[in-house]
Amino acid sequence: WFILLLVGLAAADSEPFKERQFEYFITNQNLHVDKLAHDLHELEEEFSKYSHDVDDKTVRLLKHRVHNLEGPHCPEHFSECGGLVPQCISDLFFCDGQKDCKNGGDESPQICSEAATHVGSSYTGIATWSGCEESAPHYAVVTITASERKDFFQSYVWVRGVLSFEVDEHIHTVKSYPLRGFYNFGSHVLLMGPERGTKPVYGARCKFNMGDFDHAECEIVNPESLHVCAHFFADRY
Amino acid sequence: MLRLFVFLCLAVTCCFAAEGHQFCCSAEDRHIVEEQWEHLWGDTESSKIKIQFGRIILLKLAEAHPDVKPLFANVDIEHPEGGKFSAHTFRILNALDLAINLLDDPESLDEALNHLADQHKVRAGVKKVHFQKIGEILHESLAHVLNEYNSLSWKSCFKGILGKIASKLHD
């Protein structure tokens, strides 16, 4: 009867034992998955130590700098259509509603964006003077205060703006010059001279040649001779 | 001719009206002065040129205004070729050199000239007319030693420099 008792006990015990065994396997699997996750995490960390991908902005900037160095293929007052097949058309034909480029590049929304002339746009950079003004490098700002695009002549945007820069660091004297001028879609140039009735002291010329409307190469010039007094690389604020 | 005269008068009054302003000794004027001054110092033996040049200026000044001679007594003006006087002319030319090379930085130039003005204030007997004469001698001799000499630029800048050095003198 002793054996009988054992069998009885075993029969009574077998249910919880199986459950525990099952739980044991589950735990085991979980531990295994945890280890895999840990390994993966370590691998990810290892991977993140390598340098990041180059962002599109840097690539675009580099491409445009190379492009600028390649020089203009077009004669004066002409600009490129873009695209794979080079073609030049007059600056006056850009964004006028009529496709003049073979690939229609002169009417593409990217080229014809008015972003550069949006009222309130400010282009700021540290100006280095090579003449006209004797001062150490300081901030100069070109701000657009008004813009108008005439229906019957769409390839220019007429703008008004202000050029200002700090002349004295200690008492923060700021010189301001009201300007007016235009932006041309083909050449991406914002060209401004003195406002009507003001003294012809300075003009500003900004080239948006970095592939976007947030960066420009600006110059403070003499309005008559276009002699460059100062230049600055401008960011939009 | 009349037009030129009127223009010159205008320019001069401009300089007087707004000292240190853009028109008087403008950025371009300063660059021209620095560039032309640079031509004198190409050689390694520039100290000899400086001493010689300074000696000529001071002796010419003493010739025109005999009353400055006693002022230079303690640097031994009686022996212009001597070491004491040579060292002094060297010092003066170096100060001039410093002022010209500081033209790019108006604030520092102002301080440097202020310091020079203080140094001349304590020398009793130094007069404003002496500086006026030095200006004349300087322009005359620079026109001789420099191949390129833009007198308008030099004059407009030196009016300011000498004027500031002499600004703390009483007469």
Side-chain angles (χ1 to χ4, degrees):
Chain A
W1 60 274
F2 186 68
I3 292 164
L4 211 83
L5 186 72
L6 259 180
V7 170
L9 268 175
D13 243 18
S14 74
E15 264 314 283
F17 174 74
K18 260 194 176 167
E19 215 165 87
R20 272 176 59 199
Q21 194 188 26
F22 184 64
E23 251 170 43
Y24 174 77
F25 283 132
I26 296 272
T27 315
N28 214 358
Q29 291 298 317
N30 273 334
L31 280 173
H32 187 62
V33 171
D34 280 353
K35 188 189 175 293
L36 283 178
H38 180 73
D39 286 356
L40 188 66
H41 185 69
E42 258 179 15
L43 213 60
E44 274 175 345
E45 236 166 46
E46 191 99 347
F47 181 73
S48 70
K49 275 181 200 156
Y50 293 105
S51 61
H52 292 286
D53 259 357
V54 183
D55 58 343
D56 295 343
K57 211 175 119 188
T58 316
V59 176
R60 194 196 56 224
L61 224 70
L62 184 63
K63 273 186 182 166
H64 275 85
R65 287 177 67 188
V66 172
H67 184 259
N68 293 341
L69 283 177
E70 280 169 351
H73 312 291
C74 301
E76 216 184 334
H77 305 307
F78 280 68
S79 291
E80 274 171 69
C81 288
L84 294 173
V85 186
Q87 189 193 353
C88 297
I89 65 163
S90 166
D91 282 345
L92 298 177
F93 292 165
F94 277 87
C95 308
D96 57 353
Q98 194 81 35
K99 282 186 183 169
D100 298 287
C101 288
K102 283 173 191 139
N103 60 6
D106 59 326
E107 300 299 326
S108 75
Q110 276 159 304
I111 291 263
C112 296
S113 161
E114 289 180 33
T117 62
H118 280 164
V119 173
S121 298
S122 267
Y123 303 103
T124 312
I126 294 179
T128 316
W129 293 82
S130 52
C132 309
E133 198 96 17
E134 193 60 77
S135 96
H138 53 64
Y139 278 106
V141 189
V142 175
T143 307
I144 308 286
T145 53
S147 72
E148 187 193 5
R149 194 173 173 189
K150 302 219 159 59
D151 291 334
F152 54 87
F153 182 57
Q154 300 242 315
S155 48
Y156 279 32
V157 182
W158 306 98
V159 295
R160 286 200 147 78
V162 183
L163 163 73
S164 36
F165 50 84
E166 205 170 76
V167 270
D168 195 317
E169 280 174 40
H170 305 306
I171 47 173
H172 298 291
T173 322
V174 174
K175 277 192 190 172
S176 298
Y177 299 92
L179 304 175
R180 67 186 177 122
F182 59 82
Y183 171 74
N184 178 249
F185 292 108
S187 55
H188 298 303
V189 170
L190 181 67
L191 190 62
M192 294 201 279
E195 174 65 279
R196 249 191 219 102
T198 60
K199 257 212 236 165
V201 185
Y202 292 126
R205 179 169 55 188
C206 289
K207 282 183 208 160
F208 294 86
N209 55 7
M210 302 292 181
D212 60 13
F213 298 104
D214 297 332
H215 302 87
E217 218 181 314
C218 291
E219 287 163 334
I220 299 172
V221 296
N222 178 295
E224 273 108 23
S225 60
L226 296 185
H227 168 81
V228 176
C229 291
H231 68 92
F232 60 100
F233 286 99
D235 288 326
R236 174 201 286 272
Y237 277 94
Chain B
M1 195 63 210
L2 180 73
R3 207 181 265 182
L4 185 73
F5 178 72
V6 169
F7 170 74
L8 279 179
C9 282
L10 216 78
V12 167
T13 42
C14 263
C15 281
F16 276 124
E19 204 179 337
H21 196 258
Q22 209 179 329
F23 302 113
C24 197
C25 191
S26 67
E28 269 83 2
D29 283 335
R30 288 155 195 246
H31 296 170
I32 287 169
V33 167
E34 284 184 350
E35 242 168 63
Q36 298 184 343
W37 177 250
E38 186 81 17
H39 280 290
L40 287 177
W41 320 115
D43 211 2
T44 43
E45 303 258 307
S46 64
S47 49
K48 280 186 185 167
I49 304 174
K50 275 183 186 165
I51 290 168
Q52 188 69 28
F53 193 42
R55 187 181 294 139
I56 290 169
I57 291 171
L58 289 187
L59 290 182
K60 272 193 176 175
L61 174 68
E63 205 177 298
H65 291 269
D67 57 322
V68 302
K69 257 199 167 177
L71 295 175
F72 289 107
N74 60 345
V75 290
D76 199 15
I77 195 170
E78 293 304 324
H79 305 96
E81 305 282 330
K84 232 177 178 182
F85 194 67
S86 296
H88 191 67
T89 59
F90 195 46
R91 198 156 36 217
I92 287 174
L93 253 279
N94 272 340
L96 211 59
D97 188 52
L98 172 82
I100 288 172
N101 287 319
L102 275 179
L103 281 171
D104 277 337
D105 184 353
E107 267 178 50
S108 311
L109 175 67
D110 238 31
E111 281 306 308
L113 292 180
N114 206 13
H115 181 71
L116 286 175
D118 284 337
Q119 284 185 329
H120 286 92
K121 188 172 71 174
V122 295
R123 307 263 182 277
V126 183
K127 291 176 189 153
K128 281 186 175 164
V129 282
H130 298 157
F131 281 95
Q132 219 169 334
K133 187 67 198 170
I134 284 186
E136 283 167 29
I137 295 167
L138 207 60
H139 292 305
E140 200 181 297
S141 37
L142 277 171
H144 280 110
V145 293
L146 289 175
N147 287 334
E148 281 179 59
Y149 179 72
N150 186 334
S151 59
L152 281 180
S153 299
W154 278 86
K155 277 184 183 157
S156 81
C157 286
F158 262 81
K159 194 187 280 273
I161 290 178
L162 292 173
K164 256 174 211 155
I165 296 177
S167 62
K168 296 194 177 171
L169 304 174
H170 295 298
D171 50 0

